[in-house]
Amino acid sequence: MASRPPNGNLGKRGLLLSPNSVLANALLRSIDLLRPRVLAARPSRIEFVVGTQINGAPHLGTNLVQTAAFLLAKTARRKFSIDTTVRFGALDNAPHEVVLDPETHHAYQQTYFHALGKDGVDALVEDYYRAFFESLAEATGTEYVVETYTDQQATPGFRAEFLRTLERIEDIRWWMAPSHGVVHVRVPCPDCGWAEKRADRTKLVRLDEDGATFTAVCLDHGDYGVHIDPEDDAPYLDLATLYRNLVKERAFGRDTTTLHVMMKGGDWTFGCQLVDGALGALGTPPTAMPSRIFTPQVLAPTGAKLSKSLLREQGRGVLPPDVEPWMLDTTTWSGDVDNYVDALVWLVGELLTDPKHFFRSFTVKELGRLMSARPTTPRVRAHEMGIYKRYFDLIAQGRKTTEIRVNDSSRKKIKDGSLIRFRCQGDEVLTRVTKVNRYASFEEMFDHESVASVNPLATRAEQLANIRQIYPPEREALGVVAIGIELVDPPHAENVRAGSAGRT
């Protein structure tokens, strides 16, 4: 009943050719970039963090970064046997409107949060990202959370870290603002929400154990003062891009149980030089330095980054003919959301087959060519599980009808009727879930499940001994799930509705 998947690797077919690089030469697989940090920190979970400005419909580069986060979370969970999740940071502090004071010529901006309010921001996330993330979660078996910048800046951890950086502001200000040394700390007017864009007249007037006090000037309301401390989530703290990332990564680095992996587009490789300089100036220990993965950058034929802001500034005349409409506004994709996600998962999955393909840039023409070469019939969505050869053969023969796993996050969404694709040494077999039972321990599980259905070739004692060699006590402490399975007839497997797979 087992079938070998079709050869879908573009590199093997010669359709995707990439030069070697220093980083690619050091890796066998793209996920290996995380292995040193995983081995050093021994985290209990890994969180892939991806931030996006919500100032309009996403373009291809944005969705590519997000898809890579979900796929790498899936791969890390399998490779390192650690729970993973994706954290989507909705950057609602992006400027909604910018005006110029006619008298002083100081620029003022109002964020999306201040212009639209929480409900308006939530509506944007729902319109542009919710269905996309739900589909990605289903396709990759990866859970996700959404956090706005407004929520993040209000947390005690973020504010406390910000105050710590103020104690060393002279050490970091030339890293954060190398041209003029003025770090942009925007504290919007409490009355109207407008703030000086470049913080020209925003001054730190006091810093002590009670927090920090700033003064600023509002276009309409004149002089005002605000006080920032860790316990009070008001007033609003709006940091410029580099400074925001410095504080965020410092705050994440203090969590010793979770490895936070910053997912960033390839254009961020240059900016992170400044962030790392500031991290060094703050004396950040090596174990707290951020772990980052830079995804392939999407380029126009000129070599410039595919940019919607450039389009807004210069008009559609700057667009080369190779830019298809959906690449700039992915909501215009001709198919439904699941079809778009399946196409992106296939594309990014191919790029991840070799570090040479992933850690590089691609022109829109090349990505368009690759997308046109994708399979016209996507694989059925199913939870995927690697399994040892002896158990794989028993499943393929129909003799093993119960699969047991620890009840980590990747199993909690499996339900009756879900599909599971078991993989082993290039072979795979598709099964359907007939039951899902959860227990506190392996002993309790064997008290209720048929020993022969788990492994017809071993006794209860033998199976428990084998299981204990695979799962240490801390993994068993997560609980145990017994999954009843039946074979899905391979000739008809691709006719199963993709939605029946459920999310892991």
Side-chain angles (χ1 to χ4, degrees):
M1 299 291 289
S3 61
R4 186 176 297 275
N7 181 2
N9 186 283
L10 290 180
K12 292 181 180 179
R13 295 204 305 258
L15 292 179
L16 181 55
L17 301 175
S18 302
N20 206 352
S21 65
V22 173
L23 178 59
N25 194 51
L27 305 173
L28 294 177
R29 295 162 294 273
S30 299
I31 198 65
D32 291 340
L33 188 63
L34 299 183
R35 191 178 301 278
R37 184 62 65 87
V38 171
L39 294 177
R42 301 292 180 181
S44 60
R45 60 195 296 269
I46 303 175
E47 188 170 84
F48 291 80
V49 182
V50 54
T52 302
Q53 289 191 346
I54 56 169
N55 53 354
H59 60 74
L60 174 59
T62 299
N63 285 165
L64 193 149
V65 177
Q66 295 160 346
T67 302
F70 277 85
L71 279 174
L72 285 169
K74 172 184 175 182
T75 303
R77 188 169 58 245
R78 185 172 68 244
K79 291 294 184 183
F80 304 130
S81 297
I82 298 175
D83 268 0
T84 61
T85 190
V86 170
R87 177 180 294 270
F88 171 61
L91 303 179
D92 57 347
N93 66 322
H96 181 269
E97 187 178 359
V98 178
V99 299
L100 203 64
D101 183 343
E103 295 183 1
T104 65
H105 300 288
H106 288 285
Y108 282 82
Q109 73 175 45
Q110 189 177 48
T111 70
Y112 268 73
F113 171 75
H114 289 96
L116 304 181
K118 183 180 185 303
D119 290 343
V121 169
D122 289 345
L124 284 178
V125 173
E126 290 294 322
D127 290 345
Y128 290 135
Y129 295 105
R130 183 67 67 180
F132 178 70
F133 285 157
E134 287 293 313
S135 185
L136 266 177
E138 180 183 76
T140 63
T142 300
E143 293 296 307
Y144 74 96
V145 295
V146 175
E147 178 185 56
T148 64
Y149 171 78
T150 295
D151 292 335
Q152 184 183 67
Q153 63 85 34
T155 61
F158 187 94
R159 291 186 166 230
E161 200 61 58
F162 167 68
L163 294 174
R164 292 188 190 102
T165 65
L166 291 181
E167 297 172 2
R168 305 280 298 276
I169 193 67
E170 286 300 316
D171 297 323
I172 67 171
R173 67 189 186 97
W174 289 105
W175 290 106
M176 294 289 90
S179 294
H180 43 69
V182 179
V183 182
H184 293 173
V185 178
R186 291 182 286 265
V187 284
C189 173
D191 294 322
C192 63
W194 286 83
E196 281 190 311
K197 182 176 180 60
R198 289 180 289 275
D200 307 271
R201 293 175 292 179
T202 301
K203 306 298 181 184
L204 173 64
V205 295
R206 191 175 78 252
L207 177 66
D208 53 33
E209 64 274 9
D210 295 327
T213 300
F214 290 86
T215 59
V217 182
C218 176
L219 176 63
D220 294 321
H221 299 97
D223 296 341
Y224 63 94
V226 299
H227 182 75
I228 304 291
D229 67 62
E231 299 300 324
D232 190 354
D233 60 5
Y236 199 92
L237 177 61
D238 182 13
L239 303 181
T241 302
L242 291 176
Y243 202 179
R244 179 183 70 240
N245 277 265
L246 172 69
V247 174
K248 176 185 71 175
E249 292 178 349
R250 283 272 294 186
F252 280 148
R254 294 186 182 276
D255 185 349
T256 58
T257 63
T258 301
L259 173 61
H260 293 90
V261 180
M262 307 298 118
M263 298 293 302
K264 295 182 175 294
D267 57 312
W268 256 99
T269 55
F270 308 111
C272 283
Q273 297 177 85
L274 295 174
V275 178
D276 285 345
L279 287 168
L282 291 172
T284 308
T287 54
M289 290 294 287
S291 181
R292 305 189 188 104
I293 292 182
F294 299 102
T295 62
Q297 189 171 348
V298 182
L299 305 178
T302 61
K305 170 189 172 184
L306 181 66
S307 169
K308 292 183 71 172
S309 59
L310 183 63
L311 173 64
R312 287 193 295 268
E313 294 169 3
Q314 303 294 329
R316 301 195 66 86
V318 302
L319 286 180
D322 299 319
V323 178
E324 300 176 36
W326 67 268
M327 293 179 174
L328 281 173
D329 181 351
T330 59
T331 63
T332 63
W333 177 265
S334 58
D336 61 17
V337 173
D338 285 349
N339 176 263
Y340 175 59
V341 166
D342 287 341
L344 272 187
V345 167
W346 175 86
L347 173 65
V348 178
E350 290 293 335
L351 302 185
L352 285 170
T353 59
D354 192 314
K356 295 195 300 291
H357 302 332
F358 189 74
F359 297 110
R360 53 159 289 189
S361 299
F362 291 86
T363 64
V364 289
K365 182 177 182 179
E366 177 70 354
L367 288 177
R369 184 181 70 85
L370 296 177
M371 289 289 271
S372 67
R374 74 185 189 278
T376 55
T377 303
R379 281 160 60 85
V380 171
R381 290 188 179 185
H383 308 291
E384 294 190 0
M385 295 185 186
I387 195 168
Y388 294 131
K389 183 72 165 63
R390 58 184 179 275
Y391 302 127
F392 179 87
D393 290 343
L394 290 172
I395 292 175
Q397 295 162 11
R399 301 176 64 192
K400 176 176 169 61
T401 56
T402 301
E403 173 63 10
I404 57 174
R405 300 283 169 129
V406 295
N407 192 34
D408 58 20
S409 63
S410 63
R411 320 296 173 203
K412 291 180 179 178
K413 293 296 184 179
I414 294 178
K415 59 186 178 182
D416 191 0
S418 297
L419 299 179
I420 299 177
R421 182 179 290 113
F422 290 96
R423 308 178 324 275
C424 179
Q425 299 176 15
D427 290 325
E428 62 183 38
V429 62
L430 189 64
T431 65
R432 181 181 289 106
V433 174
T434 59
K435 65 176 182 179
V436 179
N437 295 324
R438 305 183 194 278
Y439 304 99
S441 66
F442 291 115
E443 283 94 345
E444 182 185 358
M445 184 274 298
F446 276 122
D447 288 340
H448 296 84
E449 301 291 340
S450 165
V451 173
S453 71
V454 178
N455 183 355
L457 305 179
T459 66
R460 170 176 172 147
E462 290 170 336
Q463 291 190 51
L464 275 173
N466 289 335
I467 290 170
R468 292 279 160 65
Q469 293 180 22
I470 298 172
Y471 294 113
E474 63 268 20
R475 294 285 288 165
E476 184 178 355
L478 296 172
V480 175
V481 58
I483 307 167
I485 53 175
E486 64 181 8
L487 292 170
V488 174
D489 187 14
H492 305 292
E494 296 306 312
N495 294 325
V496 179
R497 289 184 67 251
S500 65
R503 280 191 288 159
T504 35

